[in-house]
Amino acid sequence: MTGHVVALCGGVGGAKLAHGLANALQPEELSIVVNTGDDFQHLGLSIAPDLDSVMYALAGLSDPIRGWGRRDETWTFMDALRGLGGESWFQLGDRDLAVHVERSWRLAQGATLSEVTAHLCSALGITARVLPMSDDPVRTRVLTADGWLDFQEYFVHQQCRPSVLEFMFAGAQMAGAQKDVLAALERRDLRAIIICPSNPFVSVEPILAVPGIRSAIQQSDAPVLAVTPIIGGKAIKGPAAKMMAELGLDVSGAAVARRYADIIDGFVIDHVDPIPAPLRGVTFFSAATLMSSVADRLQLARAVLRAADTLVA
Ligand code: FO1
């Protein structure tokens, strides 16, 4: 089938499927909507980790071990910064630093985050459309026993150790959905909306919190399909499983499907897990969702698109 596909993603797992979808589709057939709730100001730089993870994945520049930042990286800047007593808990590789400096400089000159992202994608030879969920600031904050923490303070500085109680997306209510995101979700030739295997709480829900995005998804006639971020009771990377346990949720793909039940038509569970109990309005599909190679990413993307095509109302 042809038509336009919108993918919602954040984090490392989401970036991998976004890469698979970009390889499975023509550039004009895909819009990748990226979480910006992880973004923050650091050392005077405007850091946008999920946009960078997606761009690096699409450009084949991701570090295969860390998942974030660039491969073949060097750390001269960090060594020199530490030598000056600078803040070194957030690691900025030398090549990665160029992206943060270029983004920060262009934003300071008045460009929007979308304009900067389009420039960086072009510079990195990326043809798929990468769209921040909003050009306005939205900042994920995490409530722990120690009070509210900014996202990167929780995720990196405190290495996800504190137990989470709840999340907030500061600025979401006042944020405007990025215009091309809404336009993509309202296209008449929309083939599918894919929720990538990202952390539901801190990668997907910030996107859904931007006014207009959740309702555009619910009103769309296109099938909405989510891919499990939990395999065999564990998250492949990041704190999704730990967060689910701390929130008292069952740590399973089925629990994620229940959380998305009001906006999805289908859910892809990993083939090592049992097909969940029937969930009203949700069709379950089984697939190999672990992406260890670029080939795996393409294979999962194709399986997801095939599944979505069977859901056409
Ligand atoms: N994650 C870490 O665990 N430690 C780091 O030092 C770190 C630095 C970093 C620099 C740039 C960037 O784009 C991402 C970076 N990340 C780091 C990952 C980042 O915190 C996460 O990718 C997202 O915020 C959550 O998906």
Side-chain angles (χ1 to χ4, degrees):
M1 249 182 82
T2 59
H4 198 77
V5 174
V6 172
L8 306 186
C9 74
V12 173
K16 288 181 177 176
L17 183 56
H19 185 203
L21 288 166
N23 288 348
L25 298 165
Q26 295 303 314
E28 66 279 359
E29 292 179 322
L30 176 64
S31 292
I32 301 166
V33 180
V34 183
N35 167 45
T36 61
D38 296 5
D39 296 8
F40 74 133
Q41 292 298 110
H42 183 62
L43 301 174
L45 295 168
S46 299
I47 311 283
D50 285 356
L51 280 167
D52 290 346
S53 291
V54 169
M55 291 194 305
Y56 289 151
L58 292 176
L61 291 173
S62 305
D63 181 88
I65 310 298
R66 280 180 276 116
W68 52 265
R70 290 179 67 150
R71 56 175 166 71
D72 312 326
E73 189 56 281
T74 52
W75 304 92
T76 309
F77 163 72
M78 283 310 293
D79 292 345
L81 181 68
R82 249 189 296 278
L84 297 171
E87 272 194 78
S88 59
W89 58 271
F90 195 78
Q91 298 292 308
L92 295 167
D94 298 329
R95 290 177 180 77
D96 188 40
L97 181 60
V99 169
H100 305 304
V101 169
E102 179 63 2
R103 170 182 289 119
S104 304
W105 177 242
R106 285 176 176 264
L107 289 173
Q109 300 297 299
T112 64
L113 186 56
S114 308
E115 289 163 349
V116 175
T117 303
H119 164 73
L120 292 172
C121 284
S122 164
L124 293 171
I126 294 165
T127 50
R129 212 157 57 134
V130 178
L131 302 171
M133 66 191 196
S134 173
D135 282 329
D136 301 315
V138 178
R139 296 291 173 263
T140 298
R141 309 198 74 213
V142 183
L143 180 61
T144 72
D146 313 328
W148 285 99
L149 298 176
D150 288 341
F151 182 76
Q152 296 298 345
E153 173 60 28
Y154 160 79
F155 189 90
V156 176
H157 210 179
Q158 302 200 27
Q159 296 175 5
C160 306
R161 270 192 305 268
S163 288
V164 300
L165 298 166
E166 64 180 278
F167 305 94
M168 68 173 289
F169 310 122
Q173 294 83 350
M174 290 77 76
Q178 205 278 348
K179 61 181 174 41
D180 300 325
V181 168
L182 288 183
L185 287 170
E186 289 157 4
R187 287 173 69 125
R188 299 190 52 70
D189 67 341
L190 199 54
R191 173 181 177 185
I193 299 168
I194 307 296
I195 299 179
C196 293
S198 301
N199 184 311
F201 312 105
V202 293
S203 292
V204 176
E205 287 173 6
I207 300 174
L208 299 176
V210 174
I213 292 183
R214 178 186 283 270
S215 51
I217 292 171
Q218 287 174 313
Q219 284 153 25
S220 170
D221 292 334
V224 183
L225 197 76
V227 179
T228 184
I230 303 290
I231 299 178
K234 290 193 297 295
I236 303 310
K237 194 164 183 53
K242 179 175 180 286
M243 289 177 169
M244 291 180 83
E246 290 161 357
L247 294 169
L249 300 171
D250 181 39
V251 183
S252 66
V256 176
R258 287 193 293 272
R259 193 163 176 100
Y260 291 151
D262 64 333
I263 56 167
I264 60 172
D265 305 299
F267 191 83
V268 181
I269 200 92
D270 189 76
H271 61 171
V272 303
D273 288 309
I275 290 290
L279 184 58
R280 194 178 48 75
V282 178
T283 305
F284 286 104
F285 300 86
S286 180
T289 64
L290 181 62
M291 295 172 278
S292 307
S293 68
V294 175
D296 289 350
R297 300 176 186 185
L298 178 57
Q299 205 155 358
L300 179 57
R302 286 185 172 144
V304 166
L305 291 170
R306 272 197 308 275
D309 291 345
T310 67
L311 286 173
V312 175

